Amino acid sequence: MSSFAGRMKEYPTISLDRFDRENLHARAYFLSHCHKDHMKGLKGPLLKRKLQFSRTVRLYCSFVTKELLLNNPKYAFWEEYIVPLELESPTQISLVDEASGEKEEVVVTLLPAGHCPGSVMFLFEGSHGNVLYTGDFRLPVGDVSRMEHLHSGSRVKDIQSIYLDSTFYDPRFYQIPSREVCLSGISELVGNWISQSPHHVVWLNCKAAYGYEYLFINLGEEFNTQIHVNTLAMFKKMPEILSYVTTDRRTQIHACRHPKDEEFFQGNRLPCGCTAADGTPLRIISIKPSTMWFGERTKKTSVIIKTGGSSYRACFSFHSSYSEIKDFLSYLQPVNIYPSVIPIGRTLTEVTQMLKLMCRKQSDEAAFVYKPLGVLKRSRVQRPTCDSESDDELFDGLDVAPVRKKLGVQKEGTLETTALPVCVEESLPLTITDAQPAAHNYVDCTESNGEEEEEEEEEEQQGDEEKVGAGQPEDISSQPPRWEDFFTTETLTDSQNSLRSQPQSCCSEMTGSQTPDLFSDEETAPDGFSLTLSGSQSNHSSQNMDSCLPDTLIIQPELDGQKQREEGDDGIIQSESQQLSDFDIPCTPESKVPRRDELSQLYRKLAAGEDIRALDYRTEH
DNA sequence: GCGATCAGCT
DNA sequence: CACAGCTGATCGC
C-alpha cells in the first residue's frame, strides 16, 4: 500500500495520490489511478472548500480514471475540477500561486502503467528536471524501452528522480509469472471445469478493486460468455469492458461479491445466490487471484495451486516483480529513486539502500565532464529479453500463448481549461543539456525476434491454445490507437515490440509515414560511431542482465548504427522534436541513417581515404 | 454524527 | 503467498 506523502522534491507545489494535510495547499493535483490507498483525502470537506474558492486548482488524471472516480457519488463534486488528459500527450500546465500570482510551468505526460484500468505514470518536465512518478505499475521486462516519451529522439531522457512503486522491490519477489502465463493457467482451469456441464460454474474470488477486468475480458472472449458482477455502472462508458460483464446470473463464470461470500461458497452457493433453474445443485469451484512469486533460483512451479477440494489460488499481480522493477530502473538510471511502498518485513532504510544501487553512479557523471560537442545522451536500444525467456522456461508447464484482447478506449475527450497539448521539447528548451549522464548503451543480445517466435510456436503446439494463438498478428495491427487507456502491457508483445509497428505520439501522427525519410542524421548518424558501454560499465544490473552482457567495453558502430536505422523505419517522431539530440548541434536537412551495408561501404571508403560525401544515403532500399 | 485510526479479516 | 480493501470498535471533535 502506498505510503507516498503526496509531494515530490522537485515540484513541491503539486500533489499526487495524496490529498490531505499539507497537500491541501497544492497548486495542482494528480491521481494516478482509482484505488483507495491513492485517494486519501480526496473526498475531504476541506479540499472541497478549497476548490470552491480556487480558479486554477485542478485534478489531472486519465479519462478512464475520471470515469471511475465520478462513478462514486462521494467524489462527484470533483466533476467540474477534473481535467482528463490523453495518454502520451505532453501537456503544459501552469502552476499558479493564487495569492501572489507567481507562476511555474511544467509539462506532464501520462504513460500507461498496466496496473488497473486508467492507471498511469506521470512524467513531469520543467525547470527542476525530469521526474517520473510511477503510481502503481506493472510493466514486463523490456517495455520501458518502448515508451516513447521516456526518450528524446533515440536517447533515454535524463531522469532526475523516480518516485517508485516498490511494492515488490525485494529479491524474495524476484519473479512473478507474466500476465499471459497467469491468464493462460486460469483459462485452462476454467475451461476444464465449465466444459463438463452447464452446472459446473466458476467463482472468481476477486478483491473489490479495479484491476481484474483484464481477466474478465479475456475469459469472456475465450469462452464466449459474460462474467457475472455486482454492478456495471462504472463501466457504462467503456464498451470494451461492458460487453464482457453482466448482472444476469445465468452464466458459468461469476465474480460477484457478498459480504459473506466465503460462507456462501462453503455452503455450495454463489455470492449472488444463483442456483440452477431445474434445481440441480451447482458444482462450484473458487479461484482466488493472488500474487505468487518465485525466487531467483526457484524451480518451475504452477501458477495454479489447489488449496482444497474445490478451491484454487491463481497467480495474478498488479505490480511489477523485483526483476521487472530492476529492468525498469536500470534502463532509466535516474539520479534519485524514492520508494512509495515499503515491502512487508522491510524498513525504509533497507529499501532506500537497495534502490541506491539502481541509481545512476556518481562516476558516470564525473567521467563525462568533458563535452566539446555538447553532451552525450544514452542510446535507446532494444533491450535483451533474457528475463522473459527465463520466465517462459520457469513456467513452461503451461501454455504461454499470449492471450490478449483489444481494448478500445472511450471517445476522445476535448481538453478544456488551461491545458495545452504541446510537444515537450519545443516547450522546454531547458533541463537536459547540462550534467548529462554517460552514454551508457545497452548491448542488444536478443538478435532474436525469430527465436522468440519459434519458442512461442513450440508452446502453442503442446497446448490447446490454437484458437488464441492464431490470428494474433492481425489483431495487433488493428489495435485501436488509444486502447492502452485500459491496459498497457499486453499490447507490447513480441510481435509488435519494436517501435516500428507502433506509430504514436503527436509527431508521428503528423507524418503518417512509414518511410525513414523524415530522419535527420543529426540524431542518429553520430551514434553510429559512438561508444557503447555495456554490462558492468552501464549499470549494476540484475543477474539476468549480466548474463546477457559482456563485461568488456566495446565499440560497435555497426550494430548501433543498425539499431538506429531500424528505429528509423517507423518514421519516428523526431521530425519536430529532436532539437535535443546526441549533440546539440544543428541537423543536416534531408539526411538519414545509413543501412548496415551502406555503413560497411562507408567504412571501406573512409579507410581508403576516399571522399564519403559522394555517398548518397537516400538511395532507396 | 462524522472523521481518523486501528485490529481483524479476507 | 502479504493485493486492496471492507467492517467494526474506539476515540476525539
Side-chain angles (χ1 to χ4, degrees):
Chain A
M1 295 274 208
S2 177
S3 58
F4 181 63
R7 301 205 285 188
M8 306 182 295
K9 287 193 172 56
E10 294 81 2
Y11 300 101
T13 64
I14 67 184
S15 284
L16 309 95
D17 288 356
R18 277 294 287 269
F19 309 92
D20 56 347
R21 308 167 85 110
E22 59 267 63
N23 298 299
L24 284 167
H25 311 300
R27 299 183 190 178
Y29 293 108
F30 293 84
L31 178 62
S32 69
H33 65 288
C34 233
H35 279 164
K36 292 279 160 50
D37 57 325
H38 291 253
M39 295 161 65
K40 206 169 184 195
L42 197 59
K43 59 174 188 287
L46 290 172
L47 189 50
K48 196 170 173 178
R49 237 186 128 65
K50 174 189 170 169
L51 290 173
Q52 285 162 356
F53 288 97
S54 166
R55 315 192 103 260
T56 58
V57 177
R58 294 292 181 268
L59 174 67
Y60 300 90
C61 62
S62 67
F63 278 85
V64 172
T65 296
K66 176 190 174 183
E67 185 60 30
L68 298 177
L69 182 70
L70 295 184
N71 179 67
N72 185 335
K74 285 173 182 164
Y75 303 102
F77 71 91
W78 275 102
E79 171 123 40
E80 53 193 306
Y81 307 103
I82 294 189
V83 180
L85 299 178
E86 297 289 343
L87 290 181
E88 298 175 322
S89 302
T91 303
Q92 184 169 330
I93 290 172
S94 296
L95 305 170
V96 182
D97 178 1
E98 290 184 285
S100 69
E102 185 233 320
K103 211 162 103 174
E104 179 183 2
E105 302 293 331
V106 68
V107 171
V108 66
T109 308
L110 277 56
L111 306 174
H115 175 71
C116 71
S119 67
V120 294
M121 310 190 198
F122 294 108
L123 172 67
F124 295 94
E125 296 167 279
S127 55
H128 298 102
N130 302 331
V131 299
L132 179 65
Y133 174 82
T134 69
D136 284 352
F137 75 100
R138 181 159 196 203
L139 290 183
V141 165
D143 269 17
V144 63
S145 69
R146 293 164 218 140
M147 297 175 79
E148 204 49 58
H149 293 272
L150 294 175
H151 299 81
S152 171
S154 59
R155 298 295 184 177
V156 181
K157 279 182 181 170
D158 176 21
I159 307 287
Q160 179 65 25
S161 296
I162 291 182
Y163 295 83
L164 178 79
D165 170 15
S166 45
T167 304
F168 292 132
Y169 193 70
D170 183 318
R172 281 178 296 168
F173 313 120
Y174 195 87
Q175 188 94 256
I176 297 172
S178 70
R179 262 184 211 282
E180 290 78 14
V181 170
C182 295
L183 177 62
S184 180
I186 296 171
S187 267
E188 189 183 329
L189 175 58
V190 170
N192 287 343
W193 187 254
I194 66 174
S195 62
Q196 293 178 45
S197 89
H199 298 108
H200 284 73
V201 300
V202 168
W203 175 47
L204 301 170
N205 181 1
C206 300
K207 296 259 155 52
Y210 298 116
Y212 299 100
E213 294 75 13
Y214 165 83
L215 194 56
F216 303 161
I217 287 164
N218 281 286
L219 292 176
E221 180 71 16
E222 177 155 4
F223 299 111
N224 191 27
T225 184
Q226 291 180 308
I227 285 75
H228 179 249
V229 294
N230 286 22
T231 170
L232 309 177
M234 59 284 253
F235 304 127
K236 58 181 180 288
K237 294 188 184 168
M238 303 175 207
E240 292 76 10
I241 295 177
L242 199 58
S243 62
Y244 292 103
V245 289
T246 180
T247 50
D248 183 344
R249 302 183 302 183
R250 293 167 301 175
T251 172
Q252 284 179 277
I253 307 179
H254 290 247
C256 42
R257 317 238 346 133
H258 182 278
K260 295 178 178 159
D261 48 23
E262 291 280 358
E263 286 178 29
F264 273 68
F265 173 65
Q266 298 303 330
N268 199 38
R269 284 179 300 161
L270 286 162
C272 59
C274 182
T275 53
D278 62 1
T280 315
L282 291 175
R283 301 285 312 279
I284 311 172
I285 56 168
S286 83
I287 303 176
K288 187 175 189 172
S290 320
T291 305
M292 295 178 193
W293 60 85
F294 304 93
E296 200 178 341
R297 286 180 240 285
T298 309
K299 295 239 174 81
K300 296 173 185 179
T301 307
S302 173
V303 297
I304 304 284
I305 291 175
K306 191 167 187 175
T307 56
S310 50
S311 304
Y312 298 83
R313 282 182 191 281
C315 186
F316 198 83
S317 177
F318 304 154
H319 296 271
S320 279
S321 68
Y322 181 72
S323 54
E324 286 164 347
I325 296 171
K326 283 220 308 192
D327 174 75
F328 183 79
L329 296 176
S330 61
Y331 186 80
L332 294 175
Q333 294 201 9
V335 176
N336 308 301
I337 305 169
Y338 303 101
S340 62
V341 181
I342 306 305
I344 298 200
R346 296 274 176 198
T347 64
L348 174 61
T349 326
E350 270 180 300
V351 179
T352 309
Q353 278 305 114
M354 293 203 304
L355 285 172
K356 252 185 198 150
L357 300 173
M358 303 304 296
C359 289
R360 191 183 308 165
K361 278 181 286 188
Q362 294 290 337
S363 55
D364 287 349
E365 315 243 20
F368 287 83
V369 175
Y370 181 57
K371 42 182 180 180
L373 288 175
V375 179
L376 276 171
K377 292 176 185 166
R378 280 174 288 153
S379 271
R380 154 214 236 150
V381 177
Q382 190 68 49
R383 302 295 308 283
T385 54
C386 324
D387 258 20
S388 40
E389 281 172 27
S390 61
D391 250 12
D392 294 350
E393 276 169 31
L394 198 54
F395 303 103
D396 72 358
L398 287 156
D399 298 314
V400 205
V403 185
R404 308 180 205 95
K405 175 61 193 141
K406 285 181 289 179
L407 282 170
V409 227
Q410 63 188 109
K411 265 199 98 55
E412 185 121 337
T414 45
L415 288 166
E416 304 131 4
T417 79
T418 58
L420 306 167
V422 294
C423 270
V424 185
E425 274 95 17
E426 282 179 332
S427 68
L428 284 181
L430 35 117
T431 57
I432 322 182
T433 44
D434 279 318
Q436 285 293 320
H440 352 264
N441 286 1
Y442 290 92
V443 176
D444 180 9
C445 69
T446 33
E447 303 283 51
S448 67
N449 272 345
E451 266 178 49
E452 283 172 348
E453 278 157 26
E454 259 176 53
E455 201 172 305
E456 214 168 81
E457 275 167 31
E458 273 172 32
E459 267 152 349
E460 278 166 25
Q461 280 164 15
Q462 10 165 315
D464 54 357
E465 303 290 329
E466 215 174 321
K467 190 184 92 191
V468 184
Q472 284 301 321
E474 292 79 9
D475 284 358
I476 288 159
S477 61
S478 64
Q479 299 271 354
R482 293 176 53 251
W483 74 284
E484 299 92 329
D485 247 358
F486 292 92
F487 299 101
T488 333
T489 52
E490 60 282 359
T491 41
L492 298 170
T493 49
D494 292 335
S495 33
Q496 67 158 169
N497 69 6
S498 75
L499 280 161
R500 60 172 20 162
S501 60
Q502 277 193 327
Q504 51 178 258
S505 94
C506 49
C507 303
S508 68
E509 271 164 35
M510 277 171 6
T511 75
S513 166
Q514 292 294 308
T515 69
D517 297 21
L518 292 161
F519 245 116
S520 139
D521 69 342
E522 176 266 346
E523 180 67 50
T524 46
D527 214 51
F529 304 93
S530 69
L531 282 181
T532 299
L533 299 186
S534 72
S536 54
Q537 291 279 341
S538 62
N539 59 62
H540 350 7
S541 64
S542 55
Q543 285 88 340
N544 39 303
M545 282 290 298
D546 292 342
S547 66
C548 310
L549 295 172
D551 283 324
T552 47
L553 175 67
I554 57 170
I555 300 172
Q556 25 167 226
E558 203 166 339
L559 174 61
D560 214 10
Q562 190 202 14
K563 263 304 153 201
Q564 301 301 335
R565 184 61 190 70
E566 283 173 8
E567 290 182 359
D569 272 342
D570 64 289
I572 269 181
I573 310 157
Q574 290 85 24
S575 54
E576 297 282 323
S577 62
Q578 57 180 356
Q579 298 95 311
L580 297 168
S581 54
D582 297 4
F583 304 94
D584 292 315
I585 51 176
C587 64
T588 307
E590 294 184 32
S591 53
K592 61 172 190 168
V593 192
R595 295 198 312 260
R596 182 196 285 261
D597 53 336
E598 291 167 340
L599 264 178
S600 308
Q601 200 188 348
L602 183 62
Y603 295 145
R604 270 196 298 276
K605 295 213 174 209
L606 274 170
E610 292 178 37
D611 185 356
I612 57 168
R613 286 171 299 183
L615 277 177
D616 184 6
Y617 299 131
R618 278 156 290 172
T619 331
E620 229 6 84
H621 39 77

